[in-house]
Structures are given as structure tokens and as C-alpha cells.
Amino acid sequence: MKLECVVPPAKEPVTVAEVNEFLRIDDDIEDNLVASFISAARMFCEEYQHQAYNTQTLRLVINTTECGSEVELPRSMYLQKITKVASRLPDGTESAVLYSTGTGGILTVVKIADVLPAEGDVIIEYITGNDDLQLDNVKMAIKLLVSGWHNNRLPYNDSSKMSEEVPYGVKALLNPGRIML
């Protein structure tokens, strides 16, 4: 199973200006670096919480040998629309697949009605996310991640000890909204 972002969010949950203020950066020399840190931090938080924060298009590719008749869509808590469900043969030809949707608790389930080929992939593209969420914990987690990455650009500190993988407090901020799979 492979999940990829086809169309990223148009905006991030926090702005470069908000992060620069948090980091006490007065100039705009590092704005591009900070913007890339913000994007990476959002992706980390989305992966950790199993959610999509802002509207984005995702593509799920599953090998037909691994695909059952029901597929739970990752990060579909705020599903807006399924844009494509198709099977792709090894030669690259695609054909539409009949399906219906249901809820599997928090996430959306795609129920495949067609018989799938023995070899190939099932491709599901969908738009998910909610631009109006109040994400105060997520915003702070993103700021902490960016701060940690900005201040510690090497994997070790001055005393030759490995740096923390995730700055202190990030997981504590993200755990309340985390979807356990």
C-alpha cells in the first residue's frame, strides 16, 4: 500500500510569520527554509495523527493481491470527495471500478463491487481535509518541530550525543487528536 499526496494543501496551518515570531527571527533571510520546515512538520503531524488538516488530494495505491473488498481510506476523517477508483494492469491500462462508500467508524471505507484482476493495482484518489479546523495543539506542535529542526540542524549536539528525534512536547500535543489504527 502506498499513500501519496497528489495536490498539497494550498496553505499551511501556520504561517512563516507566525513561526518567525516564535523563533524570534527578525529578518526574512531564512523564510524559504522555515517554509520547508513548516511543510515537513505538517506532514509529520498528519502522519502521526492519521489526519489531513487542510484540503488536499491523496492517492492510495494497493496491489490487487493485498486488496480486499473493503478499503479503509487513510486520513479520510474529513473526506470531501472520491475522485477516482480504478484498477491498473501491469501494462499500465486503467479501468474504472464500481464501488460504494461507507463509514468504518472514523475513517471512510470504499467497498469494491467489481472483481479485481489477479495482477495489478487498485488506485483510489480522494480529496480530504478541513480548512476551518481549530488546530491550536497542532499549530504549537508544528512550531516546536520547526524550532527543534531550525536550532539543531545536525543529528548530534556539542557533547557528541544524538539529538532527540522529536522535540519534547510534540507528541503530548498531538496525542489527544490522534486516531489509533
Side-chain angles (χ1 to χ4, degrees), residues 25-158:
I25 296 174
D26 296 328
D27 53 38
D28 61 356
I29 294 172
E30 294 185 321
D31 280 1
N32 289 336
L33 178 65
V34 170
S36 66
F37 283 158
I38 291 170
S39 180
R42 175 196 40 86
M43 288 187 275
F44 173 87
C45 293
E46 286 179 335
E47 183 66 28
Y48 186 79
Q49 285 196 312
H50 307 289
Q51 294 187 39
Y53 302 135
N54 293 25
T55 300
Q56 55 194 277
T57 302
L58 302 177
R59 178 185 297 135
L60 181 65
V61 179
I62 309 168
N63 189 288
T64 55
T65 58
E66 301 169 0
C67 184
S69 62
E70 292 187 357
V71 177
E72 194 171 64
L73 298 179
R75 300 185 196 166
S76 63
M77 184 175 183
Y78 303 108
L79 181 73
Q80 296 175 21
K81 179 181 178 184
I82 295 176
T83 57
K84 175 183 181 179
V85 179
S87 64
R88 179 175 56 205
L89 297 174
D91 66 4
T93 58
E94 289 187 8
S95 59
V97 172
L98 293 175
Y99 70 94
S100 63
T101 60
T103 55
I106 296 173
L107 303 177
T108 301
V109 174
V110 172
K111 299 173 185 176
I112 298 175
D114 281 345
V115 176
L116 299 173
E119 292 184 22
D121 297 318
V122 173
I123 303 166
I124 304 172
E125 289 186 7
Y126 53 102
I127 300 170
T128 187
N130 184 344
D131 294 328
D132 296 326
L133 291 176
Q134 297 300 316
L135 304 168
D136 293 334
N137 285 359
V138 172
K139 288 178 181 183
M140 182 54 70
I142 289 171
K143 290 175 186 178
L144 286 173
L145 279 167
V146 171
S147 174
W149 295 338
H150 184 268
N151 295 330
N152 303 302
R153 299 183 196 185
L154 298 175
Y156 53 88
N157 59 25
D158 292 336

Side-chain angles (χ1 to χ4, degrees), residues 48 137 169-176:
Y48 186 79
N137 285 359
V170 170
K171 290 184 179 179
L173 287 165
L174 295 176
N175 276 340

